């Protein structure tokens, strides 16, 4: 039986204590970084709601109701995604040279040999789709016009006003993680 000297035992104890402290600090820093990054992303996404808000008020002023948005989900998708794109690529020259990165090519089922499936969507379009799925529009009576019916109404709602009269409410479900799918 080999006996360790007190010096060796002390070295091993201090070494493992240091490893434990380093591991704990690493986990804490990683948690705080992810939390801060998530807060930043949610804040940026909330800021993009102001573009959507402007377009929705203009839409309501032209149409006098939310009826077309209730009936046509593609119109809602285009409205919200165009507002988001104008936030992502402001008119200061940061926009991509053409919209090929944003929009998939036109799909014609007879041109595709793989079962007539549309081409895969770009990562940016997938991100925009997930964002659109988290945006909520309510009418002035707090009834859902557009948004995910499976999710509860967001806590923070922005009133949409036209001539100082509330015409609806706009909200966004915040991300709960950095890698969420919806």
């Amino acid at each position: 039986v080999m006996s360790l000297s007190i010096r060796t035992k002390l070295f091993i104890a201090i070494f493992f204590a240091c490893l434990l402290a380093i591991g704990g600090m690493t986990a804490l820093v990683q948690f705080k970084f992810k939390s801060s990054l998530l807060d930043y992303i949610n804040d940026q996404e909330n800021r993009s709601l102001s573009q959507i808000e402007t377009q929705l008020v203009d839409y309501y002023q032209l149409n006098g109701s939310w009826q077309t948005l209730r009936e046509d989900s593609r119109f809602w998708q285009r409205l919200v995604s165009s507002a988001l794109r104008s936030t992502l690529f402001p008119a200061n020259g940061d926009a991509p040279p053409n919209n090929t990165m944003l929009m998939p090519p036109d799909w014609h089922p007879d041109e595709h040999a793989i079962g007539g499936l549309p081409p895969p969507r770009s990562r940016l379009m997938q991100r925009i789709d997930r964002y659109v799925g988290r945006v909520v529009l309510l009418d002035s009576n707090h009834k859902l016009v557009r948004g995910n019916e499976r999710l509860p109404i967001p806590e923070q709602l922005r009133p949409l006003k036209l001539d100082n009269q509330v015409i609806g409410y706009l909200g966004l479900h915040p991300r709960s993680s950095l890698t969420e799918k919806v």
Side-chain angles (χ1 to χ4, degrees), residues 3-176:
S3 174
L4 298 176
S5 70
I6 189 79
R7 178 186 251 172
T8 306
K9 290 178 184 177
L10 189 58
F11 173 78
I12 291 172
I14 291 173
F15 178 76
F16 281 114
C18 287
L19 279 182
L20 187 62
I22 290 171
M25 290 298 291
T26 303
L28 181 65
V29 167
Q30 185 177 14
F31 172 77
K32 287 300 283 178
F33 176 75
K34 283 182 178 180
S35 175
S36 297
L37 183 60
L38 183 62
D39 289 345
Y40 173 76
I41 290 171
N42 280 327
D43 185 51
Q44 292 300 312
E45 288 181 342
N46 256 330
R47 288 182 186 190
S48 67
L49 283 181
S50 60
Q51 284 285 336
I52 299 169
E53 184 177 345
T54 303
Q55 287 194 12
L56 286 172
V57 170
D58 291 346
Y59 166 86
Y60 193 90
Q61 188 171 17
L62 277 172
N63 295 289
S65 74
W66 300 118
Q67 196 58 37
T68 305
L69 285 178
R70 283 186 204 277
E71 297 168 355
D72 189 357
S73 63
R74 298 186 92 196
F75 185 77
W76 169 251
Q77 175 86 17
R78 284 192 308 269
L79 187 135
V80 175
S81 62
S82 72
L84 181 62
R85 281 195 304 271
S86 68
T87 302
L88 291 174
F89 304 110
N92 65 0
D94 292 342
N98 57 34
N99 280 350
T100 56
M101 185 176 93
L102 299 174
M103 303 303 277
D106 289 340
W107 173 57
H108 302 287
D110 53 329
E111 295 178 6
H112 297 282
I114 309 174
L117 295 174
R121 296 174 66 75
S122 70
R123 286 185 186 255
L124 180 59
M125 284 305 297
Q126 291 173 5
R127 286 183 61 204
I128 289 173
D129 289 346
R130 286 192 298 269
Y131 177 82
V132 170
R134 292 186 292 118
V135 177
V136 174
L137 174 64
L138 306 173
D139 64 13
S140 58
N141 298 320
H142 286 83
K143 292 202 167 119
L144 188 66
V145 175
R146 274 283 150 209
N148 191 335
E149 296 173 355
R150 296 176 295 165
L151 297 174
I153 301 301
E155 291 179 19
Q156 295 181 355
L157 294 173
R158 294 173 173 224
L160 301 173
K161 293 184 178 181
L162 179 64
D163 299 328
N164 289 326
Q165 182 180 0
V166 175
I167 56 172
Y169 298 92
L170 183 64
L172 177 68
H173 293 283
R175 287 172 173 258
S176 56

